[in-house]
Amino acid sequence: RINEMIDTEHTSIMANICSMILLLLLITHFIACAWFAIGNSHTEQRTWLLHFDLEGELWYYQYFTALHWSITQFTPASMEITPRNLPERVFTIAVVVFALVGFSYVVGSITGSLTQLRSLHEDQTKQFWDLRRYLKQNKVPLALSTRIHNYLEHAWTTQQLKLPVKNVKILNLLSEQLTCELQCELYVPYTSVHPFLEYMNDMYRVTMNRIANLCIARKALARGDTLFHPSEE
């Protein structure tokens, strides 16, 4: 559901990293609660709370101590708290075995997301570096180079924010009718400006679907470009 609200790949990757970190914190929270419950159990055996003189401490200090212990089971870090009886020892072993798999999965997911995020920036940097190198090698005038660079920066940013239809390859599987309806919906905000086309859109929907699919196309223009030339058909 969260991914349906995200419209950029960069934001999706960051959301995945944050979700993995929150998942790790949630898991360590429940493990910390279980570790505290075992230490707070009233048995004849000496627990970690009694051994380390923490039974009289405030509840939040006890909780964060248990959370610290829980986090160290997932990382190479260590702390002074250790199991003091058989139930605590068994629970610790179970947590460590679980951490071998769980922590590896979380770290692998975060690493993969960071690699994907880095590749996005590397691709952009490389393409614009090649552009500057090409313009310089061919001795393109500075004014034109600046216009080209500014336009491509704007086009690149727009492409990241709004996915081009050519990149959604699965849309090629749509039927002809669904394709026409989709194209019509995309162009309704532009065609409705004209009263005649607005009337056609309200009264003759099928015809407008075909017009949108066969007669309307997008054309990218930079500032100062000419759309129509005199005497041009």
Side-chain angles (χ1 to χ4, degrees):
R1 294 180 179 179
I2 295 178
N3 287 333
E4 293 178 357
M5 302 171 60
I6 299 174
D7 56 358
T8 63
E9 189 173 3
H10 182 275
T11 307
S12 176
I13 295 173
M14 294 301 299
N16 182 64
I17 294 175
C18 292
S19 64
M20 287 296 102
I21 294 176
L22 290 176
L23 176 62
L24 180 61
L25 291 177
L26 184 64
I27 293 173
T28 54
H29 163 74
F30 285 113
I31 292 176
C33 292
W35 176 247
F36 175 78
I38 294 174
N40 197 39
S41 59
H42 299 286
T43 62
E44 297 180 355
Q45 296 176 316
R46 190 170 181 83
T47 64
W48 66 270
L49 281 174
L50 291 175
H51 182 81
F52 295 99
D53 297 327
L54 296 175
E55 194 172 29
E57 295 290 344
L58 297 174
W59 69 268
Y60 53 82
Y61 183 81
Q62 294 176 340
Y63 168 75
F64 282 107
T65 302
L67 183 63
H68 184 188
W69 176 88
S70 177
I71 293 175
T72 59
Q73 307 310 303
F74 286 80
T75 64
S78 61
M79 67 175 305
E80 69 278 5
I81 303 299
T82 55
R84 309 310 304 176
N85 55 50
L86 181 60
E88 293 177 358
R89 186 74 60 181
V90 172
F91 179 75
T92 301
I93 294 174
V95 171
V96 171
V97 172
F98 171 77
L100 290 175
V101 179
F103 185 68
S104 299
Y105 169 77
V106 173
V107 171
S109 179
I110 294 176
T111 302
S113 297
L114 290 175
T115 302
Q116 188 177 1
L117 185 63
R118 185 168 58 249
S119 66
L120 291 178
H121 294 293
E122 287 179 352
D123 183 45
Q124 178 181 358
T125 302
K126 183 179 184 304
Q127 291 202 41
F128 277 95
W129 168 256
D130 291 339
L131 171 66
R132 289 191 294 268
R133 182 181 177 188
Y134 173 81
L135 296 175
K136 185 176 181 180
Q137 288 180 348
N138 290 275
K139 299 179 180 179
V140 178
L142 180 60
L144 179 58
S145 297
T146 303
R147 288 178 56 201
I148 293 174
H149 191 274
N150 291 340
Y151 174 78
L152 289 177
E153 278 189 339
H154 171 73
W156 182 276
T157 304
T158 303
Q159 178 177 297
Q160 300 304 309
L161 297 176
K162 192 172 184 179
L163 186 66
V165 65
K166 65 180 181 180
N167 291 350
V168 188
K169 297 181 180 180
I170 196 172
L171 289 178
N172 295 328
L173 302 178
L174 282 179
S175 65
E176 182 180 355
Q177 180 178 341
L178 286 176
T179 302
C180 293
E181 292 181 11
L182 176 60
Q183 291 296 327
C184 186
E185 287 298 328
L186 293 176
Y187 293 130
V188 160
Y190 309 103
T191 57
S192 298
V193 174
H194 196 283
F196 173 73
L197 293 178
E198 184 179 13
Y199 172 79
M200 289 283 294
N201 186 60
D202 294 334
M203 302 302 297
Y204 304 98
R205 189 68 175 183
V206 176
T207 302
M208 282 301 299
N209 287 345
R210 294 175 180 173
I211 291 175
N213 189 50
L214 300 175
C215 305
I216 302 178
R218 294 178 179 269
K219 185 174 183 180
L221 297 172
R223 180 177 297 179
D225 288 355
T226 302
L227 180 58
F228 299 105
H229 294 276
S231 303
E232 182 182 37
E233 295 184 359

